[in-house]
Amino acid sequence: MAATFHGVGATVAALSSSSSPSNSFGSKKLLSSPSRSFSVRKRASFTVVRSDGSVNFDLNSKGRRAQQLIANAVATKADSSPVSSSSKPGHELLLFEALREGLEEEMERDPRVCVMGEDVGHYGGSYKVTKGLATKFGDLRVLDTPIAENSFTGMGIGAAMTGLRPVVEGMNMGFLLLAFNQISNNCGMLHYTSGGQFTIPIVIRGPGGVGRQLGAEHSQRLESYFQSIPGIQMVACSTPYNAKGLMKAAIRSENPVILFEHVLLYNLKERIPDEDYICNLEEAEMVRPGEHVTILTYSRMRYHVMQAAKTLVNKGYDPEVIDIRSLKPFDLYTIGNSVKKTHRVLIVEECMRTGGIGASLTAAITENFNDYLDAPITCLSSQDVPTPYAGTLEEWTVVQPAQIVTAVEQLCQ
């Protein structure tokens, strides 16, 4: 796979003195330098949820690896500082605003960056990730397209081949199945099949995951579909901080990157730095250090795990929580060090159980760290059924915190 990528880790090439491809197993890069969104075919409204778990219903309020720069989005201890929020450094953003800020900064930095997709222009996208960008950068750099995912995805790939850096927005991840041929046969393979003559620096992004009664076709989790395509990198954001950092890194990458965003996390709020930064595309984030069991998760399930972690701590367990973030390739360095410490692994995902990210992660851990395991790997996944429209049934198909608590108790017996 490394031979297929054109210098994996090129997201930080402009900031790194090394030009050799990085290895996802041993890479320790996490760099900072000094100085996109989808529409959905129907609008949705959500409460504002801060990354510490508090809820705000006012929608009008404006490695040493991951530990070097990435602060825990869900604090393990309460902040006892008397300093008010307004006096703290940085600025607060919702996740969709962080995506927009990252995209806007990259469009200002590099005139080759452009955006295309349905309703991304003057409408600003259904979740307003691209709001105001068409007015600022013009209709040619923020291009509204017809409802034809295969056409504008192919156009974006062609634009990347000629030297542009397009950001293609899928109105919903489920609709990108219409562009599967372009993503698999062109986007992922052209660098290899052209003998290295072309690079495809494209970002494909959009909302997915189980929302609130959006129905089966609007609740797709396509990570499992795209993970088998050679030459594609995949990342999933879970906080405003890493949403912006991953967006910027993906745009700077020489590889095609699919950025997965969860529809229920767009109104998550967090304070992020004022200075410029990026996140490594191949690096996991240590959310909560622990000793008894390694819990690997990503995207929305990060918050279900952290909710369960509070209960587990009260029961005397000390779970280590890792947001894997990089869905392809896996950060086996961080994961492996954790497995060697805890000797037990629980994987929690919203992806389907059959052929999902959890299945691939289980295989990778078994192949590389089986001798360090004291118990079989446990994987909690969504049920292999189309997501029901009824809210109560929808909830039953997705992993809940109580199931995570039970699984840890069984693993640690």
Side-chain angles (χ1 to χ4, degrees):
M1 181 179 68
T4 306
F5 289 132
H6 181 68
V8 175
T11 53
V12 293
L15 303 175
S16 174
S17 59
S18 171
S19 59
S20 61
S22 63
N23 183 291
S24 63
F25 184 88
S27 171
K28 293 189 179 181
K29 296 180 182 178
L30 186 59
L31 304 179
S32 174
S33 72
S35 143
R36 7 181 121 203
S37 154
F38 66 95
S39 339
V40 125
R41 281 178 163 84
K42 65 176 184 177
R43 300 187 186 182
S45 61
F46 305 101
T47 57
V48 177
V49 183
R50 295 179 181 271
S51 57
D52 62 1
S54 61
V55 179
N56 182 1
F57 292 92
D58 180 10
L59 296 182
N60 296 318
S61 58
K62 301 269 178 196
R64 320 269 26 156
R65 307 179 58 76
Q67 294 176 347
Q68 289 181 344
L69 288 182
I70 303 177
N72 290 341
V74 180
T76 56
K77 295 182 179 180
D79 184 4
S80 59
S81 172
V83 181
S84 66
S85 175
S86 60
S87 64
K88 292 181 179 179
H91 55 289
E92 279 194 339
L93 288 178
L94 302 177
L95 190 142
F96 79 91
E97 294 173 327
L99 288 166
R100 181 201 302 154
E101 185 172 273
L103 177 56
E104 183 176 1
E105 288 177 3
E106 290 304 301
M107 294 183 74
E108 291 174 341
R109 189 186 71 90
D110 189 343
R112 298 173 298 171
V113 179
C114 56
V115 182
M116 57 187 70
E118 299 156 3
D119 289 336
V120 299
H122 293 280
Y123 183 67
S126 291
Y127 288 88
K128 304 307 176 186
V129 174
T130 55
K131 181 180 179 181
L133 298 185
T135 302
K136 183 173 183 178
F137 297 104
D139 293 339
L140 289 180
R141 292 189 67 190
V142 185
L143 181 64
D144 272 325
T145 66
I147 303 177
E149 283 77 8
N150 57 340
S151 299
F152 66 74
T153 303
M155 179 174 66
I157 295 168
M161 293 172 65
T162 64
L164 298 179
R165 309 186 83 85
V167 178
V168 174
E169 178 184 294
M171 181 174 278
N172 182 278
M173 275 296 178
F175 306 152
L176 288 179
L177 290 175
L178 297 169
F180 195 85
N181 176 65
Q182 284 74 17
I183 296 172
S184 60
N185 285 330
N186 302 142
C187 185
M189 298 185 187
L190 272 172
H191 176 67
Y192 179 83
T193 57
S194 69
Q197 296 181 72
F198 295 110
T199 56
I200 318 295
I202 188 174
V203 179
I204 300 173
R205 52 157 297 273
V210 178
R212 288 195 173 96
Q213 295 183 262
L214 296 180
E217 293 181 1
H218 289 70
S219 301
Q220 296 276 33
R221 288 133 288 176
L222 298 189
E223 306 95 296
S224 59
Y225 288 67
F226 293 125
Q227 68 173 329
S228 61
I229 301 175
I232 294 285
Q233 284 187 270
M234 305 194 311
V235 292
C237 61
S238 55
T239 70
Y241 179 92
N242 65 40
K244 179 181 178 180
L246 291 173
M247 170 73 86
K248 292 169 71 69
I251 293 173
R252 298 183 191 186
S253 176
E254 296 301 321
N255 302 313
V257 179
I258 302 179
L259 173 59
F260 293 93
E261 304 155 12
H262 200 288
V263 67
L264 290 186
L265 297 184
Y266 279 119
N267 281 354
L268 187 73
K269 180 176 283 189
E270 183 183 25
R271 184 170 294 275
I272 67 174
D274 291 326
E275 62 271 12
D276 191 18
Y277 69 92
I278 63 172
C279 296
N280 195 317
L281 291 178
E282 300 171 29
E283 199 160 64
E285 175 183 349
M286 179 66 67
V287 181
R288 184 192 188 279
E291 299 290 337
H292 293 162
V293 59
T294 296
I295 304 181
L296 304 175
T297 188
Y298 66 94
S299 191
R300 176 197 176 194
M301 286 295 108
R302 167 177 176 151
Y303 298 96
H304 282 213
V305 169
M306 290 307 297
Q307 185 176 339
K310 295 178 181 178
T311 302
L312 290 169
V313 169
N314 291 335
K315 291 188 174 187
Y317 298 98
D318 186 17
E320 179 154 292
V321 179
I322 297 176
D323 184 343
I324 63 173
R325 288 197 322 197
S326 177
L327 307 184
K328 183 182 178 182
F330 295 130
D331 178 8
L332 294 181
Y333 179 90
T334 299
I335 294 170
N337 283 341
S338 180
V339 173
K340 293 174 184 178
K341 178 173 63 173
T342 66
H343 309 292
R344 293 175 174 81
V345 177
L346 171 63
I347 301 170
V348 182
E349 62 175 345
E350 197 178 279
C351 200
M352 300 300 185
R353 182 170 185 80
T354 302
I357 296 297
S360 297
L361 194 53
T362 299
I365 295 172
T366 301
E367 290 172 2
N368 291 280
F369 309 110
N370 187 61
D371 290 345
Y372 296 96
L373 294 173
D374 289 344
I377 299 171
T378 300
C379 183
L380 299 179
S381 312
S382 292
Q383 297 184 35
D384 287 334
V385 297
T387 304
Y389 176 76
T392 51
L393 294 177
E394 179 185 67
E395 185 175 306
W396 273 98
T397 67
V398 180
V399 179
Q400 299 299 324
Q403 295 172 265
I404 300 170
V405 172
T406 301
V408 170
E409 290 175 331
Q410 293 174 349
L411 262 177
C412 294
Q413 283 179 352

